[in-house]
Amino acid sequence: MNKVILMGRLTRDPEVRYSSGDNQMAIARYTIAVDRRGRREGNDGQTADFINCVAFGRAGEFAEKYFHKGIKIAITGRIQTGSYTNKDGQKVYTTDVVVEDQEFAESKAASENAGAGFAPVDRPSPSSAGDGFMNIPDGIDEELPFN
C-alpha cells in the first residue's frame, strides 16, 4: 500500500502549468514544510522536512486559486519516484507526493495571522485564560460532574 498523509505549511505559492493539447490539465507543484516530532537535537538543527507535492487536474486548479505561501494544509496522496537526465548529463532522482486529496488545515483568519506571529483566532490566548482554568462562580451548591 502506498498512502501518505501530511500536514504542513506551503513554503511558496504553487507553481502551476497547463498540459498541451486539446484537453489541457492543470499541474500544480508546491512544497510543504512538515514539522518533525520528537527530539529536535541533531539533524543539523533542521526541525522540518520539505516535501515536494504535485496535484493534477481539478486539484491543481484548486491549488492555483486558493493556496498561497504560509497557509497550513493537509493532504493525502501517494509517493512517486522518478528520474531524468539534466542538461549536464547527470541522472537526477526525484521523489514527489502525488496529491489525491487536499484541504485547508486551519481557518482563514488563523492562516493570515500565522505569518504575523499572532495566536490563532479560534484559540484563546494564555493571558485571557489566566491559569488556563475556567472560573467557577461562588455559591454553587451542586457538586461538580467529575471527581
Side-chain angles (χ1 to χ4, degrees):
M1 180 186 304
N2 183 354
K3 188 76 166 179
V4 176
I5 302 171
L6 299 169
M7 184 181 307
R9 294 195 182 275
L10 266 71
T11 61
R12 64 183 191 282
D13 291 347
E15 177 184 311
V16 182
R17 295 183 179 171
Y18 285 84
S19 63
S20 58
D22 293 336
N23 293 331
Q24 290 189 344
M25 177 176 50
I27 303 168
R29 292 187 173 277
Y30 54 84
T31 302
I32 61 174
V34 179
D35 287 335
R36 290 183 179 172
R37 287 194 159 187
R39 301 185 119 182
R40 298 196 184 262
E41 301 170 13
N43 297 325
D44 300 327
Q46 186 175 357
T47 60
D49 292 303
F50 298 90
I51 312 293
N52 295 322
C53 304
V54 60
F56 295 98
R58 294 186 58 110
E61 293 170 5
F62 183 87
E64 178 180 34
K65 188 171 183 179
Y66 297 108
F67 287 0
H68 57 85
K69 179 181 177 178
I71 69 164
K72 190 173 192 179
I73 62 169
I75 66 168
T76 60
R78 60 185 171 81
I79 292 179
Q80 180 173 293
T81 60
S83 64
Y84 64 92
T85 304
N86 67 12
K87 59 185 173 187
D88 298 330
Q90 296 174 328
K91 193 159 195 167
V92 178
Y93 295 94
T94 62
T95 302
D96 295 311
V97 173
V98 177
V99 175
E100 295 169 354
D101 187 35
Q102 58 191 1
E103 58 190 66
F104 299 105
E106 65 186 357
S107 69
K108 185 175 180 179
S111 178
E112 289 170 354
N113 289 337
F118 297 110
V121 174
D122 56 351
R123 188 180 338 150
S125 66
S127 60
S128 66
D131 58 2
F133 294 97
M134 181 177 131
N135 291 329
I136 300 175
D138 294 331
I140 293 183
D141 294 334
E142 299 175 16
E143 233 178 269
L144 295 176
F146 51 86
N147 293 332

